[in-house]
């Protein structure tokens, strides 16, 4: 189970199209409220376009160095579009990790400009752009998290889990 | 990668506490925006309480037959609380599946009454109650999804992925 954001990618190693397909397919096959699947996935694997998108983000400059990125587009007419798409994202992240690729969730960006670059219809929402790539180093540790005892309860809020 | 909602559970087989711990810990260790972890997980494993919660839902009557359930509580003062918690849910779902347990996402419920049952502070949000249990049958097929070609594009919205 990956709990790590990876922002440095091996620029010499590009993912095969079959690898990319497996990752986005894990997103496509995700469960969603009433099986509505309120999502689209746009794969970006061309260096110039990765750079163009990276430059339109505040926290995603590393997209430029990714092997590929997936723009996750949702349909806001569905009440659960963001929640459902987040579930699909996590499926893609875990599938990618299984295949040896790291990623990070990029949230701060000029959504309207990126939507223009990717020709996304105006009525759809750009949730995130997810860069993927082979890590340049081993990730052994886990990021710090709040203690189990402050996060998990048994039976009622505040009751300790034994 | 599970893509299946499981609503029928083996009532004769309860999950060990260590199994439950591993599942909620997969949620606890999830990535979140700025590592804010805007979530709490309340484990419900007492039969009477499972029934009580089940009766307060419209689409979660099967919670009563679960081995245990996890109420996912979020902090709405965090802008990304629902998205981040959905990522944590998916981590729990996949960890559970690895351990042989199925689950389903329950969304329609009387949130305020369930919050009272679980003693959740009024300022927090109940995102979902997730029942988990050992399936009563093999799940071989995958649920129907929109075709790959209508969901995944390359380079721009509408451009075919080869």
């Amino acid at each position: 189970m990956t709990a790590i954001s990876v922002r440095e990618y091996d620029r010499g190693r590009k993912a095969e199209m079959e690898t990319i397909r497996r990752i986005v397919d894990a997103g496509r096959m995700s469960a969603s409220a009433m099986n509505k699947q309120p999502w689209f996935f746009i794969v970006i694997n061309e260096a110039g376009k990765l750079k163009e998108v990276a430059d339109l983000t505040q926290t995603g400059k590393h997209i430029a160095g990714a092997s590929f990125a997936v723009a996750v587009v949702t349909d806001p007419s569905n009440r659960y579009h963001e929640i459902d798409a987040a579930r699909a994202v996590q499926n893609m992240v875990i599938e990618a990790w299984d295949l040896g690729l790291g990623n990070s969730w990029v949230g701060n960006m000029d959504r309207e400009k990126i939507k223009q670059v990717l020709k996304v219809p105006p009525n759809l929402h750009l949730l995130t752009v997810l860069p993927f790539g082979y890590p340049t180093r081993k990730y052994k540790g886990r990021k710090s998290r709040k203690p189990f005892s402050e996060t998990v309860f048994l039976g009622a809020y505040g009751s300790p889990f034994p």
Side-chain angles (χ1 to χ4, degrees), chain A:
Chain A
M1 198 66 56
T2 174
I4 291 162
S5 288
V6 175
R7 295 187 180 81
E8 292 164 43
Y9 312 107
D10 183 347
R11 285 181 179 249
R13 190 172 172 204
K14 299 292 276 183
E16 303 283 342
M17 286 305 274
E18 181 55 29
T19 300
I20 299 174
R21 173 184 291 275
R22 282 180 62 177
I23 292 167
V24 288
D25 213 34
R28 181 179 74 92
M29 293 306 297
S30 300
S32 56
M34 291 162 289
N35 197 24
K36 291 288 187 188
Q37 311 159 62
W39 51 54
F40 300 96
F41 308 114
I42 303 172
V43 174
I44 309 159
N45 68 345
E46 197 263 309
K49 196 163 277 188
L50 285 168
K51 175 74 163 62
E52 191 177 1
V53 169
D55 287 344
L56 291 169
T57 73
Q58 286 80 54
T59 55
K61 303 303 180 195
H62 56 289
I63 292 171
S67 170
F68 69 98
V70 178
V72 179
V73 173
T74 66
D75 180 355
S77 73
N78 181 308
R79 180 179 157 195
Y80 303 105
H81 68 114
E82 291 195 319
I83 291 174
D84 283 340
R87 295 160 78 185
V89 166
Q90 198 60 23
N91 270 0
M92 289 191 277
V93 165
I94 292 170
E95 181 74 20
W97 193 255
D98 274 353
L99 296 170
L101 289 93
N103 102 300
S104 80
W105 177 300
V106 174
N108 288 322
M109 61 186 88
D110 187 332
R111 288 187 157 72
E112 290 313 309
K113 284 194 181 153
I114 294 176
K115 280 174 65 177
Q116 284 171 26
V117 169
L118 301 176
K119 299 182 181 161
V120 175
N123 62 309
L124 297 180
H125 171 62
L126 176 63
L127 178 65
T128 178
V129 175
L130 297 167
F132 290 93
Y134 293 97
T136 51
R137 59 185 175 86
K138 293 255 184 195
Y139 286 80
K140 282 189 179 167
R142 285 184 141 180
K143 274 185 106 165
S144 63
R145 296 288 182 264
K146 292 176 194 166
F148 190 92
S149 61
E150 291 175 19
T151 312
V152 179
F153 305 119
L154 181 65
Y157 183 90
S159 283
F161 186 99

